[in-house]
């Protein structure tokens, strides 16, 4: 029996296996609107057999886009444009999911193949916001520190985005609190130098994330799962670290988060990452063990045996794949074959299976 291909119950949903498509920006939207590319890209991976297909970091406010080409879910037209994507993914037996995001001081930057750093105002860029007026680095935009009204606007934007995600037909929401984007900027003492209720010690720095979780859970049905992606460590001395992540995971789970997706880094150009196969798996394992919450493992997981070991060994409940699924949308079929597991192919493709 393969652990990777065993189903997983999350609230009212049953995931058909433990493989999820990690959210991946496609830098292919105009005015935040998902288009044909998103339908085909996400749809292919649902056809490919993944259990959960998470649409890319989608901005809850226009100024929260990483690049001008990011998708959004800050208005009704975007929600309508997402609806066929969610419906198609669901029709393939996968759970349609969306990552809700705000890029904070890492907003208004170039899509990777268009350039690096800040997009100027006359080229479609905008003023960016952050917990404190500290830029990511010299090439990035200089942010304005959010005031109390600005913070309240962010919380209600996540709330409203969750309402729209539900209307669009998504069945799972992931809150993006990783990779140095706005919520992570509040968590880390390196980027959060506030002296009000949203800064200072652990309680102040985690306040915004917990308020966002509450705001989303208020409208996200009890029958549907809510995931939280965090960077378990900044990989910088004196930054956000795994012990704080465990504590946050405990608080998040108590507030209705059903899985902590354990990534890392992205907050500081000073990060010193030790890269290697499955290098972030120990974070998922520790959070799962110490916080007693389901976790997702992600990062340089590329083989069926590696993914199987992660789930079978109790390091994580779900394995999220990004680049391997770009190379091979049919990874789940190939993995099932390699592990001798049963998997349902689409009826249209049965003659090839
Ligand atoms: C093209 C691309 C876009 C990405 N966009 C996002 C994103 O929107 N949200 C996010 O949390 N991570 C994003 N990531 C990170 C991936 O979700 C994943 O965590 C990372 O690539 C490590 O997994 P891998 O080794 O399987 O690629 C992106 C990665 C890639 C390659």
């Amino acid at each position: 029996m393969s652990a990777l291909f065993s189903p997983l119950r999350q609230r009212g949903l049953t995931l058909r296996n433990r493989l999820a498509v990690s959210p991946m920006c496609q830098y292919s939207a105009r005015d935040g609107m998902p288009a044909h590319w998103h339908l085909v890209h996400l749809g292919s991976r649902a056809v490919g057999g993944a259990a959960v297909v998470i649409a890319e970091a989608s901005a809850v406010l226009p100024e929260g886009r990483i690049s001008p080409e990011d998708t959004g879910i800050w208005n009704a037209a975007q929600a309508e444009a997402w609806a066929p994507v969610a419906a198609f993914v669901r029709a393939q037996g996968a759970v349609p999911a969306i990552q809700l995001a705000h890029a904070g001081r890492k907003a208004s930057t170039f899509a990777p193949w268009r350039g690096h750093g800040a997009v100027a105002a006359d080229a479609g860029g905008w003023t960016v916001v952050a917990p404190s007026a500290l830029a990511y680095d010299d090439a990035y935009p200089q942010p304005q520190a959010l005031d109390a009204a600005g913070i309240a606007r962010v919380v209600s934007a996540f709330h409203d985005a969750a309402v729209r995600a539900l209307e669009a037909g998504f069945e799972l929401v992931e809150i993006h609190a990783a990779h140095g984007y706005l919520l992570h900027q509040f968590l880390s003492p390196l980027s959060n130098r506030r002296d009000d209720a949203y800064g200072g010690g652990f309680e102040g720095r985690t306040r915004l994330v917990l308020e966002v979780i509450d705001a989303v859970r208020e409208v996200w049905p009890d029958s549907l799962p809510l995931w939280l992606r965090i960077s378990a460590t900044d990989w910088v001395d004196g930054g956000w670290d795994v012990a704080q992540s465990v504590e946050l995971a405990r608080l998040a789970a108590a507030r209705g988060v059903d899985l902590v997706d354990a990534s890392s880094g992205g907050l500081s150009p000073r990060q010193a990452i030790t890269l290697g196969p499955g290098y972030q798996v120990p974070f998922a394992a520790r959070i799962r063990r110490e916080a007693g919450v389901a976790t997702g493992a992600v990062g340089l997981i590329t083989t069926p045996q590696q993914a199987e070991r992660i789930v079978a060994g109790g390091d994580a409940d779900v394995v999220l794949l990004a680049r391997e699924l770009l190379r091979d949308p049919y990874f789940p079929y190939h993995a099932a074959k390699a592990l001798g597991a049963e998997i349902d192919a689409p009826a249209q493709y049965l003659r090839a299976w």
Side-chain angles (χ1 to χ4, degrees):
M1 268 298 284
S2 158
L4 189 63
F5 286 92
S6 65
L8 176 69
R9 189 89 185 153
Q10 281 244 302
R11 298 210 178 221
L13 297 183
T14 302
L15 280 49
R16 59 182 166 183
N17 59 53
R18 308 306 184 92
L19 288 165
V21 181
S22 202
M24 280 181 277
C25 288
Q26 300 294 297
Y27 309 102
S28 302
R30 189 181 279 221
D31 299 324
M33 297 282 283
H36 290 140
W37 177 264
H38 302 88
L39 174 64
V40 174
H41 162 68
L42 296 165
S44 306
R45 279 142 194 89
V47 170
V52 180
V53 177
I54 312 181
E56 67 191 80
S58 296
V60 300
L61 287 168
E63 64 270 28
R65 286 170 296 166
I66 301 167
S67 79
E69 295 82 18
D70 281 24
T71 54
I73 185 146
W74 70 80
N75 66 35
Q78 292 157 356
E80 269 172 44
W82 278 118
V85 178
F88 183 84
V89 167
R90 187 159 186 255
Q92 310 318 311
V95 173
I98 186 166
Q99 190 183 47
L100 304 183
H102 190 308
R105 69 179 184 175
K106 286 173 74 176
S108 189
T109 60
F110 283 102
W113 60 82
R114 291 207 167 86
H116 173 72
V119 176
D122 59 5
W126 55 89
T127 303
V128 308
V129 297
S132 305
L134 297 167
Y136 173 74
D137 74 14
D138 292 347
Y140 274 66
Q142 176 60 38
Q144 283 179 358
L146 282 166
D147 61 13
I151 291 178
R153 185 164 173 267
V154 167
V155 175
S156 65
F158 272 95
H159 169 279
D160 295 352
V163 172
R164 286 186 206 104
L166 189 65
E167 283 166 5
F170 288 107
E171 295 183 305
L172 190 158
V173 153
E174 178 170 89
I175 296 170
H176 196 352
H179 302 166
Y181 297 116
L182 186 69
L183 298 181
H184 183 187
Q185 290 158 30
F186 272 82
L187 291 175
S188 175
L190 303 176
S191 43
N192 183 344
R193 301 281 171 76
R194 302 178 71 92
D195 54 14
D196 64 0
Y198 292 91
F202 176 85
E203 196 185 338
R205 285 181 282 110
T206 54
R207 188 178 308 277
L208 177 59
V209 178
L210 296 177
E211 285 185 3
V212 165
I213 292 169
D214 287 346
V216 169
R217 249 296 156 225
E218 193 186 308
V219 291
W220 195 244
D222 282 345
S223 57
L224 297 179
L226 173 62
W227 291 7
L228 176 71
R229 174 165 272 197
I230 61 170
S231 280
T233 173
D234 289 342
W235 300 100
V236 179
D237 283 343
W240 180 258
D241 58 21
V242 190
Q244 295 175 77
S245 294
V246 169
E247 201 46 46
L248 173 63
R250 248 186 230 123
L251 297 171
R255 289 171 129 92
V257 164
D258 302 294
L259 179 140
V260 173
D261 173 3
S263 188
S264 74
L267 186 97
S268 165
R270 292 191 288 126
Q271 64 186 11
I273 304 187
T274 319
L275 274 181
Y279 70 108
Q280 295 172 146
V281 174
F283 305 141
R286 183 166 161 198
I287 292 167
R288 188 173 191 264
R289 201 171 56 239
E290 294 183 18
V293 61
T295 58
V298 65
L300 291 177
I301 301 165
T302 55
T303 72
Q305 293 76 11
Q306 186 190 10
E308 173 69 23
R309 271 197 309 273
I310 290 167
V311 179
D315 287 343
D317 302 85
V318 168
V319 173
L320 296 102
L321 303 181
R323 288 163 292 182
E324 186 57 28
L325 279 170
L326 293 186
R327 289 183 285 266
D328 178 13
Y330 299 109
F331 178 89
Y333 294 124
H334 297 142
K337 197 165 184 192
L339 298 169
E342 290 286 322
I343 184 171
D344 287 334
Q348 296 91 330
Y349 289 3
L350 276 175
R351 287 175 67 185
W353 195 240

